[in-house]
Amino acid sequence: MSEGRQGPLSGVRVLELAGLAPGPFAGMMLADHGADVLRVDRVAAVSDEPRKDVMDRGKRTIGLDLKSPEGVAAFKELAGHADVVIEVFRPGVAERLGIGPDDLHAVNERLIYGRMTGWGQDGPLAATAGHDIDYIAISGILSMLGREGGKPTPPINILGDFAGGGLMLAYGVLLALFERERTGKGRVIDAAMVDGASILFAMFYHGVQSGFWGPRGTNLLDTGAPQYDTYETADGEFLAVGSLEPQFWEAMVTRMGLSDLPDRGDRKQWPALRARLAEEFRSRTRAEWEAVFEGSDACVSPVLSMAEAVRHPHNVARGAFADVGGLSQPVPAPRLLGVPGQDLSPATRLADLSAWGLSAEAAEKLRSQGVLA
């Protein structure tokens, strides 16, 4: 077991129903800060081998047949000793299994029931399938991403699944835990990725409605402005330029030795300015430009691969990555100073469930029935 875990969530027990991306990410965020997270998987999915997924770190795993009455009864027993349940099914599925919020609150009124879906628990699309790209499309966010004249470009599945989904669910769990200190009661959290993606873009709504923020790829922060873009170097690598403020711009062009540049304050001059910068950046390698800008406030950084990021001196100095079982991965964030680091070992099968209210005899009976892995 993991009773020895430390952190602000030490002592908080989380049952995480196995799912894709956002649910496990929310569980990881809680485990990273001390929660005791038990991943409940299908019986056939559990083996003796440690799981390799980074999002399973710090957790323990069991396999439970939730389509059997015995499995449902066992899950309710576990939920009776839990603080949080993370559920990742389509609306209505948990209720049909007999492990919906009402079912579990009947055995534990303090339980916080976090529901992770793309569309939410209600609305015309609630029962339909979807993926990250669909959720950010309906939220209006996808229309804003991409270069001028190009088609909308999804940022992998970061905005819907992880930022708008898993992270928002973890935040909702913390809100409910805080509220429970006053009320003594649990709460159901409806974490919808379409909602989460929308709130992430809160600062842009006024700009869009007032006309200050134009079509995608034409604005200050979406590659429209030459002072906020990426540029190719002589060796086929790239630099990220973010010299928005005048003093940072001045630091950049001074280091580059440039003068008589087109006026960056005139949007009509942006194409000419971009072409001039692109030509200059292609004159040297990325490493040479890194040397030029080292120690400056030019806001110019190398675009590193994920493998390079692990080795970057700043990340190394901060211990931003850890090697766990031969796999490099980011350490928990945010950092709470003075709190010891957590065990980042990947999830393994859990044999002892007595601390969760399931006796060794009961567990052995379930195993003999094929209900518990």
Side-chain angles (χ1 to χ4, degrees), residues 7-243:
L9 298 180
S10 177
V12 174
R13 290 177 172 170
V14 180
L15 281 175
E16 176 197 309
L17 287 159
L20 298 175
F25 184 70
M28 183 200 79
M29 294 295 292
L30 300 176
D32 278 353
H33 292 287
D36 186 3
V37 180
L38 179 61
R39 175 185 168 105
V40 181
D41 218 321
R42 293 176 293 106
V43 172
V46 177
S47 71
D48 291 321
E49 295 297 320
R51 300 181 65 89
K52 301 295 186 182
D53 195 324
V54 172
M55 292 186 294
D56 281 330
R57 69 190 188 190
K59 304 175 185 177
R60 296 294 181 266
T61 304
I62 60 169
L64 195 60
D65 181 5
L66 293 176
K67 293 184 178 180
S68 71
E70 296 82 2
V72 170
F75 188 83
K76 287 183 177 179
E77 187 69 34
L78 298 174
H81 293 77
D83 296 286
V84 180
V85 163
I86 293 176
E87 179 254 294
V88 293
F89 305 138
R90 290 198 203 187
V93 172
E95 283 80 358
R96 290 195 293 274
L97 290 173
I99 56 171
D102 292 343
D103 301 304
L104 300 190
H105 280 150
V107 298
N108 182 359
E109 66 174 7
R110 291 174 54 82
L111 185 70
I112 292 160
Y113 197 105
R115 315 197 80 166
M116 183 77 264
T117 60
W119 304 116
Q121 295 299 311
D122 53 17
L125 296 174
T128 64
H131 278 298
D132 179 292
I133 193 171
D134 304 300
Y135 311 137
I136 66 173
I138 291 298
S139 72
I141 304 309
L142 184 56
S143 71
M144 302 174 67
L145 307 177
R147 291 191 175 271
E148 182 180 12
K151 63 182 182 178
T153 304
I156 318 180
N157 62 331
I158 295 298
L159 278 179
D161 280 349
F162 294 103
L167 193 59
M168 289 296 176
L169 176 56
Y171 175 55
V173 167
L174 298 182
L175 293 177
L177 284 170
F178 183 77
E179 180 190 46
R180 195 180 68 177
E181 291 298 304
R182 293 183 285 107
T183 67
K185 299 289 184 65
R187 180 173 291 280
V188 179
I189 303 165
D190 179 2
M193 294 176 228
V194 65
D195 298 343
S198 296
I199 199 69
L200 288 169
F201 278 69
M203 69 171 285
F204 296 99
Y205 280 86
H206 175 264
V208 169
Q209 293 173 56
S210 66
F212 175 77
W213 193 269
R216 65 175 170 273
T218 66
N219 304 283
L220 191 63
L221 301 176
D222 64 356
T223 73
Q227 61 266 38
Y228 201 86
D229 203 350
T230 58
Y231 291 90
E232 188 174 6
T233 57
D235 52 349
E237 299 293 340
F238 290 87
L239 293 171
V241 171
S243 53

Side-chain angles (χ1 to χ4, degrees), residues 70 360-373:
E70 296 82 2
E361 294 77 12
E364 185 56 38
K365 181 178 180 180
L366 291 172
R367 289 192 187 94
S368 68
Q369 296 172 329
V371 174
L372 177 68

